[in-house]
Amino acid sequence: MTKKDFPGIHFYDQGFVDLYNQTWAWVEDYWHKGTTRNKLQKQYFNYPNNKTLNQFEAIMSTFFLVYSNRHFPVMPQLDCFYERQESDGAIRGDYGIDDGKPVHARDNPESLNPPLFSWAEYNLYHKIGNKKRIKEILPVLENYFNWIEATFKRDNGLYATPLSATKMENSPRKEGFYFIDFNAQQAMNALYMAELGDILNDKEISFKYKRQYFSLKTRINSQMWNEEDGIYYDLDREGNQVRIKTIAAFWPLLAELPNEAKSEQLIAQLKNGETFGVEHPYPSLAADEESFDRHGLACRGSVYPPFTFMVIKGLEKYGAYELAREAAIRHLYYMLDALHPEGKEKGMLWEAYCPRSEGHARWPGHPHFPRPQFLGYTALSTITLMIENVLGLCISLPRKTVDWIIPTLEIMGIENLSLKRNLITILSSKSGRGWEIRLESEKLYYFTIDIIGKKKKTLPIPSGKCSMLIDKL
């Protein structure tokens, strides 16, 4: 694999650039071929030691694989699951690598996972621009939505699921019955189903899922929000709030559920050093909870890249770009430290990290935790957060737009980023004439530079090479 196969990044800290490049090299080794027995896709990405193909891991992997300039396939990650949909609409959370059959756990008999397919498909549409695919997969996603509703929705309009369906198995939430994260994820599912309907100009689908979204949004805000504590909580079987603060409370940001006042209180939690604003953003359990452990103990405080990714993407929804970028940079520095530890321990990327110190999380008695080089999680940080939040690039192929949202100008940028059949380069540098942005493209697109609070300008960028001086904008 040559460096030209994927976008090249420029950043003042070479450690970040090396980590990004190294991740792509590691990703190369995580591809598997479907067999005549398991009937999985002919090529799919999975952790080498996994005995199953997991739905949550597969969905999250699409958010970084989409940046490989089509060097790696992305769609098979989701198609492996769509092809296994059952007649009632069920799609299971795990399928065996040996035989391709559903794997059911005792604590999760329906093998349910967070319902995030529609969010992933919406993201893929904006990065790849394949409208035909939306039309093909929408019936699958509709049937899946209906199955979740028929199986897990209760009379109060909320969803009751096993704790393990939230991917937070040992979180101290045993009293919970209606989990805030799953309910917010299902609201998000409805939100992006409506968006997919809008892409197809299907007003019926759009209206149907917007109604579902607002109905669930109202219930979550009225029953699961605690005004005194400024956070969302799980509910027990009787509908009482279980007042334990976990990272699950931030899925509502990504689902766009809180109003401005609620979002400000939630964001304040992320800045509070006594709850979630600890050294390494963001812990799976608030630091002032009795069960919190500074070594992580899985969901008793560990920092998991997909949950940090979720929080950062939620912050974007509420315009908190500076906090999102600061969190991404701090998170990546802690990952870098664990990759180059002092002493004899071998440097790795890890499934989970300590919340208050350097190094990977620990859970005594569980030798396989955390999993080393668990790229399905870590590449979200080293690739996706690097491009979208550290460099600050937001891309939409159907709209032909690239937005560059940064708090200050720094020497950084990206080279040979593929927008379908268009390779673009955006680099900022300082010369005697001041800050300059150099651009290169094969086709016309619209470029927005947004230096937060200082300057915002949208310009059509023609094919070829050009440059602009920031002071002249």
Side-chain angles (χ1 to χ4, degrees):
M1 182 173 68
T2 65
K3 278 194 175 178
K4 279 275 167 98
D5 285 327
F6 54 87
I9 63 165
H10 293 247
F11 192 61
Y12 61 81
D13 190 318
Q14 188 59 33
F16 281 27
V17 178
D18 293 344
L19 183 56
Y20 168 88
N21 290 334
Q22 185 60 61
T23 304
W24 281 125
W26 285 325
V27 165
E28 189 86 52
D29 300 328
Y30 282 51
W31 292 91
H32 302 257
K33 289 189 167 115
T35 64
T36 48
R37 187 160 178 241
N38 68 22
K39 295 187 174 64
L40 292 170
Q41 289 275 311
K42 65 179 180 188
Q43 208 183 3
Y44 62 92
F45 174 91
N46 199 17
Y47 186 59
N49 297 344
N50 277 359
K51 299 281 189 291
T52 66
L53 185 62
N54 177 261
Q55 184 182 317
F56 182 71
E57 291 168 28
I59 287 172
M60 297 316 270
S61 72
T62 66
F63 285 86
F64 59 84
L65 291 174
V66 80
Y67 284 114
S68 77
N69 282 359
R70 296 189 290 172
H71 180 75
F72 298 125
V74 187
M75 309 306 187
Q77 295 304 103
L78 306 177
D79 294 341
C80 278
F81 292 87
Y82 300 163
E83 287 170 355
R84 280 161 180 70
Q85 186 167 47
E86 295 162 34
S87 57
D88 61 356
I91 298 176
R92 308 301 175 180
D94 281 280
Y95 293 95
I97 293 298
D98 286 342
D99 57 11
K101 289 181 179 167
V103 177
H104 301 267
R106 193 178 299 167
D107 63 350
N108 189 358
E110 294 286 353
S111 191
L112 179 68
N113 262 216
L116 303 173
F117 286 123
S118 58
W119 176 43
E121 291 288 357
Y122 178 80
N123 180 63
L124 289 181
Y125 172 71
H126 279 281
K127 303 293 186 290
I128 293 171
N130 187 346
K131 192 170 174 179
K132 184 166 163 269
R133 177 177 172 83
I134 304 293
K135 199 174 175 71
E136 287 166 0
I137 56 96
L138 203 56
V140 175
L141 300 190
E142 282 215 84
N143 291 336
Y144 178 58
F145 192 100
N146 295 340
W147 171 72
I148 292 173
E149 199 170 37
T151 315
F152 301 101
K153 194 174 184 179
R154 298 297 172 113
D155 292 341
N156 63 359
L158 293 172
Y159 293 78
T161 66
L163 178 59
S164 62
T166 67
K167 306 303 286 181
M168 293 185 70
E169 281 87 341
N170 82 320
S171 187
R173 303 163 70 191
K174 294 285 182 264
E175 289 175 45
F177 189 72
Y178 302 100
F179 294 111
I180 178 59
D181 39 2
F182 191 90
N183 279 275
Q185 288 156 0
Q186 181 66 347
M188 205 166 117
N189 190 7
L191 177 66
Y192 285 104
M193 288 296 286
E195 291 280 6
L196 297 178
D198 283 339
I199 288 165
L200 295 177
N201 207 17
D202 189 323
K203 290 183 172 58
E204 194 181 325
I205 282 181
S206 176
F207 178 73
K208 174 183 168 184
Y209 287 102
K210 276 179 184 149
R211 201 172 58 189
Q212 292 265 20
Y213 170 71
F214 285 112
S215 168
L216 194 45
K217 176 178 179 170
T218 303
R219 286 176 164 83
I220 291 170
N221 281 325
S222 61
Q223 297 176 57
M224 304 178 107
W225 174 256
N226 186 297
E227 188 61 35
E228 186 187 343
D229 297 351
I231 200 164
Y232 289 94
Y233 288 125
D234 300 327
L235 304 181
D236 66 15
R237 194 179 281 270
E238 279 70 51
N240 304 308
Q241 290 184 354
V242 182
R243 288 172 74 170
I244 292 168
K245 298 185 293 296
T246 73
I247 198 78
F250 297 95
W251 281 98
L253 281 177
L254 190 53
E256 301 173 52
L257 301 181
N259 58 18
E260 194 178 342
K262 286 185 177 71
S263 73
E264 283 170 4
Q265 286 178 274
L266 266 183
I267 291 169
Q269 295 278 1
L270 297 170
K271 297 176 183 175
N272 182 348
E274 291 180 9
T275 55
F276 292 95
V278 299
E279 290 81 349
H280 188 166
Y282 288 104
S284 45
L285 184 67
D288 63 349
E289 291 290 348
E290 201 180 325
S291 304
F292 177 84
D293 191 289
R294 60 182 302 114
H295 299 298
L297 258 65
C299 291
R300 304 291 171 108
S302 301
V303 175
Y304 286 88
F307 295 148
T308 294
F309 179 78
M310 168 271 291
V311 174
I312 287 171
K313 293 293 125 190
L315 287 171
E316 282 179 18
K317 297 281 185 190
Y318 288 83
Y321 291 104
E322 290 187 63
L323 180 60
R325 184 173 195 254
E326 180 196 316
I329 289 172
R330 258 197 304 151
H331 172 53
L332 282 164
Y333 272 125
Y334 274 97
M335 292 179 83
L336 260 181
D337 284 338
L339 192 62
H340 305 291
E342 292 173 9
K344 291 181 180 173
E345 193 176 19
K346 192 181 175 191
M348 300 263 187
L349 292 177
W350 296 93
E351 173 186 11
Y353 293 85
C354 285
R356 304 219 87 143
S357 57
E358 293 170 10
H360 63 77
R362 288 175 169 76
W363 190 8
H366 293 79
H368 300 298
F369 175 85
R371 289 171 280 189
Q373 300 296 79
F374 197 62
L375 298 185
Y377 282 8
T378 56
L380 283 168
S381 310
T382 59
I383 294 173
T384 316
L385 291 183
M386 189 67 218
I387 292 173
E388 295 178 2
N389 296 91
V390 178
L391 298 183
L393 290 162
C394 174
I395 293 140
S396 172
L397 210 148
R399 294 179 190 141
K400 293 189 181 157
T401 58
V402 177
D403 296 351
W404 198 8
I405 305 165
I406 40 174
T408 55
L409 277 163
E410 292 162 2
I411 296 169
M412 59 182 183
I414 198 158
E415 277 186 282
N416 294 320
L417 173 64
S418 169
L419 298 182
K420 214 165 192 173
R421 285 177 285 278
N422 185 13
L423 285 177
I424 65 161
T425 292
I426 301 168
L427 298 169
S428 66
S429 60
K430 198 165 191 184
S431 65
R433 299 189 299 162
W435 280 101
E436 185 177 12
I437 299 177
R438 287 189 297 116
L439 302 142
E440 194 174 331
S441 172
E442 294 170 7
K443 288 181 183 171
L444 173 90
Y445 71 95
Y446 296 90
F447 176 66
T448 299
I449 172 112
D450 184 353
I451 306 165
I452 300 164
K454 297 186 190 90
K455 243 174 210 180
K456 187 173 181 181
K457 182 89 175 169
T458 300
L459 298 159
I461 303 301
S463 60
K465 294 180 180 181
C466 66
S467 69
M468 58 177 82
L469 287 170
I470 294 298
D471 292 341
K472 296 275 167 72
L473 287 180

